[in-house]
Amino acid sequence: MTRTEPLETEPGLAELARPATRGRSWWQPHRIVLLVVSVALVMLAAATMRWDWLVEYWPQILIGVWRSVWLLVLSIVLGFLMAVPLGLAQVAGPRILALPARGFCTLIRGTPLLLQLWLLYFGVGSLFPTIPAIRQSFLWDYLRQAWPYALFTLTISFAGYEGEVMRGAFAGVPHGELEAGRAYGMSPFKLLRRIWLPRAFFRALPTLGGEIIMQLKSTPLAATITVVDVYGVIAQVRQDTYLVYAPLLFLAGIYMALTGILVLLVRVVESRVPIRGV
Amino acid sequence: MSQETAPSPTADRASGHATGAMREAVVELVDVHKSFGQLEVLKGISMTSHVGDVTAIIGASGSGKSTLLRCINMLEIPSSGTVRVHGEEIGLRRNGHGESEIADRRQIQRIRTRLGMVFQSFNLWQHMTLRDNVIEVPIHVLGRKRDEAIRDADALLERVGLFEKRDTFPAYLSGGQQQRAAIARALAINPDVMLFDEPTSALDPELVGEVLTVIRDLASEGRTMILVTHEMSFAREVANRVIFLHQGLVEEEGEPNAIFNHPKSERLQRFIGSIR
Ligand SMILES: Nc1ncnc2c1ncn2[C@@H]1O[C@H](COP(=O)(O)OP(=O)(O)OP(=O)(O)O)[C@@H](O)[C@H]1O
Ligand SMILES: [Mg+2]
């Protein structure tokens, strides 16, 4: 981690640190070929398949995309907020916190998401109506809908995986940097807030980026408990129109586009992070 | 890369050294013991560092130099004994298992902001630029205003020859540059005493000089410093007191001239012989 190159090379190093890749043209041969192939495929699909249903279903598709996106965003944000204490408890917590945290992460990572979702929705969810106290409370408005179960399950799933990631990231922050904070009079909480957490977060970022993209691909499971996300809309289209390929191709295109946007966002955040492999 | 011209600290400091007895004690250790499990590393160390003193701690590897230095700011908690900073005793107590621990977190956090520690491995915060490293403690621990902290940080970075690198992250700097930045970070709290733990041991030989230049500069302005070092010629040059540790005890201490030219104990003679 310590760079000891001679001084003259350092402007070069600083240059490397910048994310921009100026100088090299985007138009490389392999890119041109891929571009041509994909344009041809799209034209082929457009010419040989039926797309008239798009007009009718367009508003629903938009609503579906919106649902998928907020399911993703909310579950990531809430899940990460849970992952931080889950990781921290395992690294630095007393045993009565560390063990349950580890148990939770192991349980979540060891069982299929679909199973968790169904257990909560068809299992726990069917118990709630039998409890009068819940039926009378404001919670009932939510508990009788499907989306809270989807959001909750996606959240704890993300928390389970990222709790493990954050455990590693917290543990990997060099001890000396924490010691420096302590030596300058930081309280344990300030040390966590200013040094340990941001440092661990930046370390975890490349992994988190990948996991967020995985999480997008988990959201369609919500459709199995009647949450009509974009997958749910397309499934409806297929039932109504008896079309096989066109709606699915279109769905693939939507997920590709969403993934592309996520990749770009992750890249923007990552490029602001100074340290790679440190 | 701008670097300070080396002043002649010995000449500047000579006047200050004569009046040792009159000056205020900044760091006092009284009969400090430290054990790691069965291993007793410090076996009763007493020392006093006065305002303006540059104290060099020398000794063989494993003699307890780092442990001693780290007992001053309680990165290691002495098993017994007393540590005072500016006359204020750091409160220690025994927990249920008979181990000693900090009695009052607040007190030690306050005292630590008076002690500027510089580590062998720099320990700069890698997720912050050099300037952010330097303003971090003034703003977030000492509660100073951001623009003031930035102004002071830039002046300090200028002083250690790193003003141009202020927006660079540590990972892109040489070891010598990182260590100079770490010194700027320590200076930013305007400490009563600087604690150096072998500040040049992790550096390539050609980078040692630039760091020693900065430390020499601090000595010449009369900063109180305690310096663990293997650089004997540097210790002789900047220190006005040298403490020789052997197996957790102060074997001999005195002025550099006495220690290096007229060592009394046989162990010190052998140690100095082995260095030459
Ligand atoms: N945290 C620790 N746990 C157990 N033993 C330790 C610990 N820190 C230091 N020691 C032991 O204490 C002894 C003195 O260590 P210390 O680091 O103070 O020596 P030193 O004089 O600084 O040596 P060096 O010149 O190699 O840095 C060594 O034997 C070391 O192994
Ligand atoms: Mg040491």
Side-chain angles (χ1 to χ4, degrees):
Chain A
M1 114 190 185
T2 307
R3 309 296 296 256
T4 47
E5 272 84 354
L7 300 182
E8 300 81 72
T9 66
E10 274 161 19
L13 279 176
E15 209 70 56
L16 278 178
R18 276 182 217 124
T21 49
R22 275 173 289 121
R24 238 154 120 252
S25 166
W26 190 87
W27 296 101
Q28 306 276 319
H30 65 279
R31 286 204 174 121
I32 295 170
V33 171
L34 281 175
L35 202 67
V36 169
V37 169
S38 34
V39 167
L41 282 176
V42 168
M43 306 254 278
L44 192 71
T48 58
M49 291 177 179
R50 265 184 58 199
W51 298 99
D52 50 319
W53 51 272
L54 268 176
V55 182
E56 188 188 334
Y57 286 95
W58 190 240
Q60 276 162 272
I61 290 173
L62 279 185
I63 293 171
V65 169
W66 171 239
R67 269 195 195 131
S68 295
V69 167
W70 70 246
L71 258 184
L72 174 72
V73 171
L74 269 185
S75 67
I76 284 170
V77 171
L78 297 176
F80 185 74
L81 290 180
M82 282 175 71
V84 170
L86 280 170
L88 198 59
Q90 292 179 73
V91 173
R95 193 169 286 196
I96 53 161
L97 291 180
L99 281 181
R102 203 164 125 211
F104 175 83
C105 289
T106 309
L107 187 73
I108 295 293
R109 285 157 23 105
T111 53
L113 178 55
L114 186 62
L115 179 72
Q116 296 163 13
L117 187 64
W118 284 10
L119 268 178
L120 283 169
Y121 182 68
F122 298 114
V124 180
S126 65
L127 290 179
F128 287 141
T130 64
I131 305 169
I134 285 185
R135 290 195 67 127
Q136 269 134 43
S137 78
F138 75 99
L139 281 175
W140 182 239
D141 278 344
Y142 296 96
L143 290 178
R144 61 184 203 182
Q145 300 184 56
W147 67 263
Y149 295 89
L151 177 61
F152 182 77
T153 314
L154 285 168
T155 298
I156 61 168
S157 163
F158 196 73
Y161 282 95
E162 286 1 284
E164 191 61 25
V165 170
M166 288 310 289
R167 182 194 63 74
F170 276 120
V173 173
H175 186 245
E177 287 179 47
L178 301 178
E179 199 160 64
R182 230 173 276 131
Y184 287 111
M186 287 190 182
S187 65
F189 180 70
K190 194 158 285 170
L191 189 68
L192 175 66
R193 191 167 63 84
R194 297 291 313 167
I195 313 289
W196 208 8
L197 179 58
R199 195 72 173 74
F201 177 72
F202 288 144
R203 284 178 63 91
L205 203 55
T207 318
L208 287 176
E211 303 263 321
I212 288 172
I213 288 158
M214 295 291 285
Q215 180 82 346
L216 169 66
K217 268 77 74 82
S218 299
T219 54
L221 290 180
T224 65
I225 59 165
T226 74
V227 176
V228 189
D229 69 340
V230 65
Y231 172 80
V233 174
I234 293 296
Q236 190 62 47
V237 171
R238 293 181 66 207
Q239 260 179 29
D240 295 351
T241 61
Y242 301 111
L243 288 172
V244 181
Y245 295 116
L248 284 183
L249 272 180
F250 187 73
L251 185 64
I254 287 177
Y255 279 116
M256 291 271 287
L258 289 176
T259 302
I261 293 170
L262 285 178
V263 168
L264 282 180
L265 286 178
V266 168
R267 215 176 268 171
V268 166
V269 178
E270 259 181 53
S271 72
R272 303 183 44 140
V273 180
I275 27 179
R276 260 154 271 175
V278 178
Chain B
M1 191 74 12
S2 72
Q3 274 194 11
E4 297 71 28
T5 49
S8 56
T10 14
D12 293 0
R13 298 183 53 74
S15 56
H17 295 160
T19 54
M22 309 298 292
R23 284 170 297 140
E24 191 190 346
V26 185
V27 173
E28 284 174 273
L29 273 64
V30 182
D31 196 29
V32 167
H33 291 251
K34 173 67 186 178
S35 302
F36 294 107
Q38 296 297 314
L39 179 70
E40 190 174 31
V41 175
L42 301 181
K43 300 170 181 162
I45 302 246
S46 299
M47 64 170 271
T48 305
S49 183
H50 294 97
V51 171
D53 270 349
V54 177
T55 308
I57 299 174
I58 62 171
S61 187
S63 56
K65 305 182 295 295
S66 298
T67 309
L68 171 61
L69 197 72
R70 291 160 59 83
C71 279
I72 296 173
N73 61 4
M74 297 287 149
L75 287 181
E76 302 292 357
I77 298 172
S79 314
S80 67
T82 307
V83 177
R84 284 192 211 101
V85 176
H86 266 315
E88 181 180 355
E89 179 174 337
I90 300 175
L92 296 177
R93 65 170 179 221
R94 303 223 162 262
N95 67 14
H97 308 286
E99 296 152 354
S100 76
E101 61 177 28
I102 301 282
D104 178 4
R105 284 259 140 232
R106 292 259 167 74
Q107 185 205 25
I108 186 61
Q109 281 162 21
R110 175 167 48 77
I111 287 177
R112 278 171 175 167
T113 64
R114 313 302 315 139
L115 306 171
M117 183 100 166
V118 175
F119 299 86
Q120 182 173 349
S121 49
F122 332 131
N123 295 349
L124 289 174
W125 298 304
Q126 301 278 322
H127 61 298
M128 300 180 186
T129 62
L130 289 197
R131 183 200 258 163
D132 286 344
N133 266 277
V134 177
I135 63 176
E136 175 66 22
V137 177
I139 292 178
H140 294 281
V141 179
L142 301 176
R144 299 199 36 210
K145 286 209 194 73
R146 190 178 173 83
D147 49 350
E148 280 174 29
I150 287 178
R151 207 184 48 222
D152 292 355
D154 287 352
L156 286 170
L157 286 169
E158 177 77 58
R159 180 170 177 189
V160 299
L162 288 171
F163 182 70
E164 278 73 34
K165 299 275 179 193
R166 63 194 178 283
D167 294 323
T168 310
F169 289 91
Y172 300 106
L173 296 177
S174 75
Q177 291 173 321
Q178 290 194 53
Q179 192 60 300
R180 284 186 280 143
I183 293 174
R185 174 177 69 175
L187 287 171
I189 64 174
N190 192 22
D192 294 339
V193 54
M194 295 279 284
L195 308 174
F196 291 90
D197 189 0
E198 299 194 26
T200 58
S201 301
L203 300 178
D204 289 346
E206 74 270 19
L207 301 176
V208 169
E210 63 189 66
V211 171
L212 293 187
T213 303
V214 171
I215 300 175
R216 197 180 284 124
D217 183 39
L218 295 177
S220 73
E221 70 170 27
R223 275 215 178 254
T224 313
M225 306 201 279
I226 300 175
L227 174 77
V228 173
T229 186
H230 282 157
E231 303 274 342
M232 291 305 147
S233 60
F234 185 68
R236 179 193 297 224
E237 177 195 337
V238 301
N240 65 307
R241 279 180 63 246
V242 180
I243 293 177
F244 173 59
L245 278 197
H246 180 75
Q247 293 182 354
L249 284 169
V250 176
E251 177 85 16
E252 196 166 329
E253 68 173 301
E255 305 225 327
N257 183 40
I259 293 286
F260 290 110
N261 297 337
H262 312 287
K264 289 201 253 334
S265 84
E266 197 184 316
R267 290 193 183 109
L268 179 55
Q269 285 164 13
R270 231 181 298 137
F271 178 70
I272 288 174
S274 72
I275 300 288
R276 283 214 183 94

